[in-house]
Amino acid sequence: MEPVKRITLIGGGLMGHGIGQEFACYGLEVSIFDDDPAIRETVLERIETNLVFMAKNHLIFEKKIKAILAAVQIHDTLEAAVENADVVIEAISENLPLKKGLFKHLDRVCPRNVILASNSSSFTPSQYAGSINYPDRVLGTHYFNPPYLIPLVEVVKGEKTGEKTLKTMIALLKGIGKRVVVVKKEVPGFIANRIQIALFREAFNVVEQGIASPEEVDMAIKSSFGRRLGVMGPFEQCDIIGADLKLSIYNALVPEIKSDTKPSRLLLRQIKAKKLGVKTGEGFYRWTKNSRKKRYERIQKALIAMNKMDNIFSESSGKNREPEDKGKKGK
Ligand code: NAI
């Protein structure tokens, strides 16, 4: 199997620039194309801001920032961006007709051996690439935001995804320190988002029913099982407390919690009142520039601390990564 050296990202928005940045951190060559010139103009600036943050937190050497940025090329056309690519990952908007059109186009312009991946949060390979000429080279690689701080990638195997495509992608992702799970069936939401949305439905329901306020729900989760979830999954927890006790709790609560498929009334009310959150300055909380910065910093610092505790960064020491126990040496 040829080693993968060149990655192309189609879409340089929130996810595309972060995914590209991560490959560049590990010494791969990265090309990015976005069809919006304004986005193209800011990609390198956004990556640099992230890299400075990472250097401050000793995740990369400060002196490597220039080299990492130099490994990222921004292109004005898709054709130029995919030239010489070994792997193309699309992170364009979550719109099925757009993604279908893009995969058809990529299938035509990329040589047969190039792997085509999608970061789609909900669509499956059969949906966006079922009818292209070579669907065996297509699969999903679902990252989480921010991709350079969240270790997991869900690799989504389509009905027609080839074994070689799957193996090459898994090796590539593991090689840059990602934790990989393979989603073996093409189901919407894959693994993590299915489970996450079940939690969100009940969280919104608890507030709608007047059982607790949004702040109280957030506090209850963050200070209880939320803490544990980063270190202990539901099956580990089930084994620890015992399947018999878990079944009693399950039987008592499952009939009580929300199970319908209607849109959340709470969310509809928020949208009607234009309380979209950070975007409009108010959601369940008030968001000023300052409060947003503070909250984001707190979240990022906590994610870094958890990754360090879980040895994520030492598992993944690429050539630009700062060795975990060396502190400021090598700056
Ligand atoms: P975004 O809106 O920040 O970025 C999408 C970019 O794609 C935009 O810059 C847009 O100009 C560009 N674009 C749209 N059509 C294009 C085309 N035909 N060719 C080239 N560029 C095009 O969106 P975001 O959040 O980065 O999401 C991208 C994908 O990643 C979506 O499929 C989304 O579902 C998925 N995703 C998003 C996550 C998130 O937390 N935002 C997490 C995991 C997956």
Side-chain angles (χ1 to χ4, degrees), residues 13-15 34-35 91-94 99 119 121 142-143 145:
L14 183 67
M15 296 303 288
D34 194 293
D35 68 356
I92 68 166
S93 321
E94 190 73 351
K99 286 193 195 279
N119 185 47
S121 322
H142 179 231
Y143 282 75
N145 186 42

Side-chain angles (χ1 to χ4, degrees), residues 10-17 19 33-37 39-40 46 78 90-95 98-99 102 118-123 141-146 193:
I10 309 292
L14 183 67
M15 296 303 288
H17 87 283
I19 296 171
F33 167 69
D34 194 293
D35 68 356
D36 182 342
I39 296 287
R40 288 202 295 272
R46 283 178 283 135
L78 178 141
E90 72 80 14
I92 68 166
S93 321
E94 190 73 351
N95 172 319
L98 264 190
K99 286 193 195 279
L102 176 62
S118 170
N119 185 47
S120 173
S121 322
S122 56
F123 304 124
T141 49
H142 179 231
Y143 282 75
F144 292 77
N145 186 42
N193 278 347

